[in-house]
mmCIF file with all atom_site columns, all heavy atoms in Angstrom:
data_model
loop_
_atom_site.group_PDB
_atom_site.id
_atom_site.type_symbol
_atom_site.label_atom_id
_atom_site.label_alt_id
_atom_site.label_comp_id
_atom_site.label_asym_id
_atom_site.label_entity_id
_atom_site.label_seq_id
_atom_site.pdbx_PDB_ins_code
_atom_site.Cartn_x
_atom_site.Cartn_y
_atom_site.Cartn_z
_atom_site.occupancy
_atom_site.B_iso_or_equiv
_atom_site.pdbx_formal_charge
_atom_site.auth_seq_id
_atom_site.auth_comp_id
_atom_site.auth_asym_id
_atom_site.auth_atom_id
_atom_site.pdbx_PDB_model_num
ATOM 1  N N   . ASP A 1 67 ? -17.370 32.983 -41.737 1.00 67.00 ? 230 ASP A N   1
ATOM 2  C CA  . ASP A 1 67 ? -16.275 33.639 -42.445 1.00 67.00 ? 230 ASP A CA  1
ATOM 3  C C   . ASP A 1 67 ? -16.673 33.896 -43.895 1.00 67.00 ? 230 ASP A C   1
ATOM 4  O O   . ASP A 1 67 ? -17.587 33.278 -44.439 1.00 67.00 ? 230 ASP A O   1
ATOM 5  C CB  . ASP A 1 67 ? -15.030 32.762 -42.388 1.00 67.00 ? 230 ASP A CB  1
ATOM 6  C CG  . ASP A 1 67 ? -13.775 33.560 -42.706 1.00 67.00 ? 230 ASP A CG  1
ATOM 7  O OD1 . ASP A 1 67 ? -13.915 34.771 -42.947 1.00 67.00 ? 230 ASP A OD1 1
ATOM 8  O OD2 . ASP A 1 67 ? -12.687 32.971 -42.701 1.00 67.00 ? 230 ASP A OD2 1
ATOM 9  N N   . SER A 1 68 ? -15.960 34.813 -44.532 1.00 66.00 ? 231 SER A N   1
ATOM 10 C CA  . SER A 1 68 ? -16.228 35.110 -45.937 1.00 66.00 ? 231 SER A CA  1
ATOM 11 C C   . SER A 1 68 ? -15.764 33.957 -46.818 1.00 66.00 ? 231 SER A C   1
ATOM 12 O O   . SER A 1 68 ? -14.696 33.370 -46.575 1.00 66.00 ? 231 SER A O   1
ATOM 13 C CB  . SER A 1 68 ? -15.508 36.396 -46.340 1.00 66.00 ? 231 SER A CB  1
ATOM 14 O OG  . SER A 1 68 ? -14.119 36.249 -46.118 1.00 66.00 ? 231 SER A OG  1
ATOM 15 N N   . PRO A 1 69 ? -16.522 33.600 -47.829 1.00 64.00 ? 232 PRO A N   1
ATOM 16 C CA  . PRO A 1 69 ? -16.137 32.474 -48.695 1.00 64.00 ? 232 PRO A CA  1
ATOM 17 C C   . PRO A 1 69 ? -14.907 32.801 -49.527 1.00 64.00 ? 232 PRO A C   1
ATOM 18 O O   . PRO A 1 69 ? -14.696 33.931 -49.949 1.00 64.00 ? 232 PRO A O   1
ATOM 19 C CB  . PRO A 1 69 ? -17.377 32.275 -49.570 1.00 64.00 ? 232 PRO A CB  1
ATOM 20 C CG  . PRO A 1 69 ? -18.045 33.599 -49.587 1.00 64.00 ? 232 PRO A CG  1
ATOM 21 C CD  . PRO A 1 69 ? -17.784 34.220 -48.245 1.00 64.00 ? 232 PRO A CD  1
ATOM 22 N N   . ARG A 1 70 ? -14.101 31.787 -49.775 1.00 65.00 ? 233 ARG A N   1
ATOM 23 C CA  . ARG A 1 70 ? -12.878 31.957 -50.548 1.00 65.00 ? 233 ARG A CA  1
ATOM 24 C C   . ARG A 1 70 ? -13.028 31.474 -51.991 1.00 65.00 ? 233 ARG A C   1
ATOM 25 O O   . ARG A 1 70 ? -12.285 31.900 -52.866 1.00 65.00 ? 233 ARG A O   1
ATOM 26 C CB  . ARG A 1 70 ? -11.724 31.208 -49.879 1.00 65.00 ? 233 ARG A CB  1
ATOM 27 C CG  . ARG A 1 70 ? -11.411 31.718 -48.474 1.00 65.00 ? 233 ARG A CG  1
ATOM 28 C CD  . ARG A 1 70 ? -10.267 30.929 -47.858 1.00 65.00 ? 233 ARG A CD  1
ATOM 29 N NE  . ARG A 1 70 ? -9.967  31.406 -46.504 1.00 65.00 ? 233 ARG A NE  1
ATOM 30 C CZ  . ARG A 1 70 ? -9.028  30.895 -45.708 1.00 65.00 ? 233 ARG A CZ  1
ATOM 31 N NH1 . ARG A 1 70 ? -8.299  29.876 -46.156 1.00 65.00 ? 233 ARG A NH1 1
ATOM 32 N NH2 . ARG A 1 70 ? -8.832  31.380 -44.508 1.00 65.00 ? 233 ARG A NH2 1
ATOM 33 N N   . SER A 1 71 ? -13.915 30.550 -52.209 1.00 63.00 ? 234 SER A N   1
ATOM 34 C CA  . SER A 1 71 ? -14.091 30.013 -53.559 1.00 63.00 ? 234 SER A CA  1
ATOM 35 C C   . SER A 1 71 ? -15.062 30.876 -54.348 1.00 63.00 ? 234 SER A C   1
ATOM 36 O O   . SER A 1 71 ? -15.886 31.602 -53.787 1.00 63.00 ? 234 SER A O   1
ATOM 37 C CB  . SER A 1 71 ? -14.614 28.581 -53.485 1.00 63.00 ? 234 SER A CB  1
ATOM 38 O OG  . SER A 1 71 ? -15.863 28.554 -52.809 1.00 63.00 ? 234 SER A OG  1
ATOM 39 N N   . ARG A 1 72 ? -14.971 30.782 -55.667 1.00 62.00 ? 235 ARG A N   1
ATOM 40 C CA  . ARG A 1 72 ? -15.834 31.544 -56.565 1.00 62.00 ? 235 ARG A CA  1
ATOM 41 C C   . ARG A 1 72 ? -16.844 30.607 -57.230 1.00 62.00 ? 235 ARG A C   1
ATOM 42 O O   . ARG A 1 72 ? -16.858 30.396 -58.428 1.00 62.00 ? 235 ARG A O   1
ATOM 43 C CB  . ARG A 1 72 ? -15.001 32.258 -57.623 1.00 62.00 ? 235 ARG A CB  1
ATOM 44 C CG  . ARG A 1 72 ? -14.050 33.298 -57.046 1.00 62.00 ? 235 ARG A CG  1
ATOM 45 C CD  . ARG A 1 72 ? -13.302 34.020 -58.147 1.00 62.00 ? 235 ARG A CD  1
ATOM 46 N NE  . ARG A 1 72 ? -12.416 35.044 -57.598 1.00 62.00 ? 235 ARG A NE  1
ATOM 47 C CZ  . ARG A 1 72 ? -11.647 35.840 -58.336 1.00 62.00 ? 235 ARG A CZ  1
ATOM 48 N NH1 . ARG A 1 72 ? -11.649 35.720 -59.670 1.00 62.00 ? 235 ARG A NH1 1
ATOM 49 N NH2 . ARG A 1 72 ? -10.870 36.724 -57.756 1.00 62.00 ? 235 ARG A NH2 1
ATOM 50 N N   . THR A 1 73 ? -17.671 30.061 -56.428 1.00 65.00 ? 236 THR A N   1
ATOM 51 C CA  . THR A 1 73 ? -18.698 29.141 -56.922 1.00 65.00 ? 236 THR A CA  1
ATOM 52 C C   . THR A 1 73 ? -20.062 29.793 -56.809 1.00 65.00 ? 236 THR A C   1
ATOM 53 O O   . THR A 1 73 ? -20.199 30.963 -56.426 1.00 65.00 ? 236 THR A O   1
ATOM 54 C CB  . THR A 1 73 ? -18.661 27.826 -56.134 1.00 65.00 ? 236 THR A CB  1
ATOM 55 O OG1 . THR A 1 73 ? -18.926 28.120 -54.749 1.00 65.00 ? 236 THR A OG1 1
ATOM 56 C CG2 . THR A 1 73 ? -17.288 27.162 -56.254 1.00 65.00 ? 236 THR A CG2 1
ATOM 57 N N   . ALA A 1 74 ? -21.073 29.003 -57.126 1.00 63.00 ? 237 ALA A N   1
ATOM 58 C CA  . ALA A 1 74 ? -22.440 29.523 -57.061 1.00 63.00 ? 237 ALA A CA  1
ATOM 59 C C   . ALA A 1 74 ? -22.903 29.721 -55.630 1.00 63.00 ? 237 ALA A C   1
ATOM 60 O O   . ALA A 1 74 ? -23.912 30.407 -55.393 1.00 63.00 ? 237 ALA A O   1
ATOM 61 C CB  . ALA A 1 74 ? -23.395 28.574 -57.795 1.00 63.00 ? 237 ALA A CB  1
ATOM 62 N N   . GLU A 1 75 ? -22.181 29.147 -54.651 1.00 71.00 ? 238 GLU A N   1
ATOM 63 C CA  . GLU A 1 75 ? -22.579 29.258 -53.251 1.00 71.00 ? 238 GLU A CA  1
ATOM 64 C C   . GLU A 1 75 ? -22.053 30.526 -52.584 1.00 71.00 ? 238 GLU A C   1
ATOM 65 O O   . GLU A 1 75 ? -22.328 30.762 -51.416 1.00 71.00 ? 238 GLU A O   1
ATOM 66 C CB  . GLU A 1 75 ? -22.064 28.038 -52.481 1.00 71.00 ? 238 GLU A CB  1
ATOM 67 C CG  . GLU A 1 75 ? -22.612 26.707 -52.955 1.00 71.00 ? 238 GLU A CG  1
ATOM 68 C CD  . GLU A 1 75 ? -24.110 26.597 -52.684 1.00 71.00 ? 238 GLU A CD  1
ATOM 69 O OE1 . GLU A 1 75 ? -24.573 27.202 -51.704 1.00 71.00 ? 238 GLU A OE1 1
ATOM 70 O OE2 . GLU A 1 75 ? -24.788 25.912 -53.453 1.00 71.00 ? 238 GLU A OE2 1
ATOM 71 N N   . VAL A 1 76 ? -21.283 31.333 -53.329 1.00 74.00 ? 239 VAL A N   1
ATOM 72 C CA  . VAL A 1 76 ? -20.698 32.529 -52.726 1.00 74.00 ? 239 VAL A CA  1
ATOM 73 C C   . VAL A 1 76 ? -21.773 33.529 -52.327 1.00 74.00 ? 239 VAL A C   1
ATOM 74 O O   . VAL A 1 76 ? -21.775 34.070 -51.222 1.00 74.00 ? 239 VAL A O   1
ATOM 75 C CB  . VAL A 1 76 ? -19.676 33.166 -53.688 1.00 74.00 ? 239 VAL A CB  1
ATOM 76 C CG1 . VAL A 1 76 ? -19.209 34.502 -53.149 1.00 74.00 ? 239 VAL A CG1 1
ATOM 77 C CG2 . VAL A 1 76 ? -18.497 32.239 -53.893 1.00 74.00 ? 239 VAL A CG2 1
ATOM 78 N N   . ALA A 1 77 ? -22.711 33.801 -53.224 1.00 75.00 ? 240 ALA A N   1
ATOM 79 C CA  . ALA A 1 77 ? -23.772 34.766 -52.922 1.00 75.00 ? 240 ALA A CA  1
ATOM 80 C C   . ALA A 1 77 ? -24.619 34.305 -51.744 1.00 75.00 ? 240 ALA A C   1
ATOM 81 O O   . ALA A 1 77 ? -24.996 35.104 -50.876 1.00 75.00 ? 240 ALA A O   1
ATOM 82 C CB  . ALA A 1 77 ? -24.639 34.985 -54.152 1.00 75.00 ? 240 ALA A CB  1
ATOM 83 N N   . ARG A 1 78 ? -24.900 33.034 -51.690 1.00 76.00 ? 241 ARG A N   1
ATOM 84 C CA  . ARG A 1 78 ? -25.689 32.494 -50.571 1.00 76.00 ? 241 ARG A CA  1
ATOM 85 C C   . ARG A 1 78 ? -24.916 32.597 -49.264 1.00 76.00 ? 241 ARG A C   1
ATOM 86 O O   . ARG A 1 78 ? -25.494 32.942 -48.222 1.00 76.00 ? 241 ARG A O   1
ATOM 87 C CB  . ARG A 1 78 ? -26.045 31.043 -50.865 1.00 76.00 ? 241 ARG A CB  1
ATOM 88 C CG  . ARG A 1 78 ? -26.901 30.380 -49.778 1.00 76.00 ? 241 ARG A CG  1
ATOM 89 C CD  . ARG A 1 78 ? -27.375 29.012 -50.243 1.00 76.00 ? 241 ARG A CD  1
ATOM 90 N NE  . ARG A 1 78 ? -28.115 28.340 -49.199 1.00 76.00 ? 241 ARG A NE  1
ATOM 91 C CZ  . ARG A 1 78 ? -27.575 27.543 -48.269 1.00 76.00 ? 241 ARG A CZ  1
ATOM 92 N NH1 . ARG A 1 78 ? -26.250 27.334 -48.273 1.00 76.00 ? 241 ARG A NH1 1
ATOM 93 N NH2 . ARG A 1 78 ? -28.318 26.967 -47.353 1.00 76.00 ? 241 ARG A NH2 1
ATOM 94 N N   . ALA A 1 79 ? -23.615 32.329 -49.288 1.00 76.00 ? 242 ALA A N   1
ATOM 95 C CA  . ALA A 1 79 ? -22.810 32.430 -48.078 1.00 76.00 ? 242 ALA A CA  1
ATOM 96 C C   . ALA A 1 79 ? -22.708 33.873 -47.595 1.00 76.00 ? 242 ALA A C   1
ATOM 97 O O   . ALA A 1 79 ? -22.743 34.140 -46.393 1.00 76.00 ? 242 ALA A O   1
ATOM 98 C CB  . ALA A 1 79 ? -21.413 31.863 -48.328 1.00 76.00 ? 242 ALA A CB  1
#
Side-chain angles (χ1 to χ4, degrees):
D230 198 1
S231 58
R233 299 180 180 179
S234 60
R235 297 183 178 181
T236 61
E238 298 293 330
V239 172
R241 181 172 177 271

